[in-house]
Amino acid sequence: MFSQELWLENERKCAVVRKSKPGRKRQELLAIAFGVKVHTFRGPHWCEYCANFMWGLIAQGVRCSDCGLNVHKQCSKHVPNDCQPDLKRIKKVYCCDLTTLVKAHNTQRPMVVDICIREIEARGLKSEGIYRVSGFTEHIEDVKMAFDREISNADERLEAVHEVLMLLPPAHYETLRYLMIHLKKVTMNEKDNLMNAENLGIVFGPTLMRPPEDSTLTTLHDMRYQKLIVQILIENEDVLF
């Protein structure tokens, strides 16, 4: 009799677990779909829905990856899923949720789609093998990086580079300025030497933009950025120096 009661009690517990698992799974899938993730907060935090304190040391609540709303796990079920994404939290154009991207920029479709199609229709419709022939991986990554870094704000980017150049010690600044003037002259003879600003950036980038720590992985990761900054310095030598 005693063993039968234990068996029945165990069955009831298992039934509760079996019943709760689909519910938990559904909540997890909904959380992922709406960009809400379990988050560990440092220091005291209060729920932005019920205004109560978030207890615990880890995984005290959830945070919306789009707008940054911090709420209890239970409160997240009552929060509307039509938040307005914060542009400060949208780090990239690629690998970003489509709905989040268009809501953040208040557009019907991603800006990158409009720009790419406009360029293709303007000068690429007669290209042999369009959409069949693959481009160079390095060039593709450069374009993606440019979109992620807002190529539309070229003036702001140049201003930021100029401000950094002004922080260089006089000897470093003058040496870099003199070198960029020389490299600009090299690009002016591109028809003969086949060396444009991009090619020179590949050559001089790792030397001029070497990271402080001698790490192979860091150097490999930074190579594309090293090339890009040297390319910008050469192309805009007359403006930056």
Side-chain angles (χ1 to χ4, degrees):
M1 188 69 173
F2 182 69
S3 60
Q4 185 177 5
E5 290 177 354
L6 286 177
W7 180 82
L8 290 173
E9 179 66 20
N10 185 58
E11 278 295 298
R12 282 195 294 270
K13 291 181 178 178
C14 290
V16 171
V17 172
R18 288 194 294 269
K19 186 177 180 180
S20 63
K21 280 186 177 180
R24 289 204 305 269
K25 187 64 176 178
R26 182 174 180 273
Q27 281 188 346
E28 291 174 1
L29 291 175
L30 285 173
I32 294 173
F34 296 134
V36 179
K37 298 181 180 179
V38 176
H39 189 76
T40 297
F41 300 95
R42 295 183 179 179
H45 269 77
W46 283 261
C47 176
E48 296 178 34
Y49 179 80
C50 68
N52 290 322
F53 186 75
M54 291 184 176
W55 295 97
L57 298 177
I58 60 173
Q60 305 98 322
V62 296
R63 168 175 288 175
C64 177
S65 58
D66 291 343
C67 66
L69 183 72
N70 302 318
V71 295
H72 289 113
K73 296 177 185 177
Q74 293 300 319
C75 291
S76 65
K77 296 184 295 184
H78 307 291
V79 176
N81 55 26
D82 58 347
C83 65
Q84 178 62 33
D86 186 352
L87 279 174
K88 294 180 180 178
R89 297 181 177 274
I90 310 301
K91 302 296 184 182
K92 295 183 177 181
V93 172
Y94 294 89
C95 300
C96 177
D97 178 71
L98 185 60
T99 301
T100 298
L101 189 63
V102 297
K103 286 176 67 176
H105 292 275
N106 194 26
T107 57
Q108 293 182 322
R109 54 190 172 272
M111 173 190 65
V112 62
V113 175
D114 286 353
I115 294 177
C116 289
I117 289 181
R118 188 162 57 244
E119 281 296 311
I120 292 172
E121 292 181 349
R123 56 188 180 89
L125 291 178
K126 295 183 179 180
S127 298
E128 181 179 352
I130 182 174
Y131 292 126
R132 176 177 59 82
V133 179
S134 300
F136 292 105
T137 302
E138 184 178 352
H139 291 170
I140 295 173
E141 291 300 319
D142 285 343
V143 172
K144 291 171 63 176
M145 184 177 67
F147 276 114
D148 285 339
R149 290 179 169 269
E150 300 181 349
I151 57 176
S152 59
N153 296 325
D155 292 338
E156 294 181 6
R157 182 177 61 181
L158 287 179
E159 184 177 350
V161 173
H162 179 71
E163 290 178 359
V164 173
L165 291 174
M166 292 297 98
L167 299 176
L168 290 175
H172 293 73
Y173 177 87
E174 179 57 28
T175 302
L176 184 62
R177 184 190 70 84
Y178 193 74
L179 179 60
M180 292 303 111
I181 293 175
H182 165 68
L183 294 181
K184 185 64 173 290
K185 293 178 180 178
V186 173
T187 63
M188 294 171 66
N189 294 274
E190 179 186 350
K191 290 184 179 180
D192 298 320
N193 57 37
L194 303 180
M195 294 299 288
N196 55 23
E198 181 181 3
N199 292 335
L200 291 171
I202 295 174
V203 175
F204 284 89
T207 301
L208 297 176
M209 303 294 165
R210 183 179 301 172
E213 63 276 4
D214 189 12
S215 171
T216 304
L217 289 177
T218 303
T219 302
L220 291 174
H221 180 268
D222 291 344
M223 283 184 66
R224 186 170 289 107
Y225 301 99
Q226 294 167 350
K227 181 209 73 172
L228 179 61
I229 189 63
V230 173
Q231 180 180 344
I232 292 173
L233 292 175
I234 296 172
E235 292 175 342
N236 302 277
E237 163 269 326
D238 55 334
V239 176
L240 294 173
F241 296 96

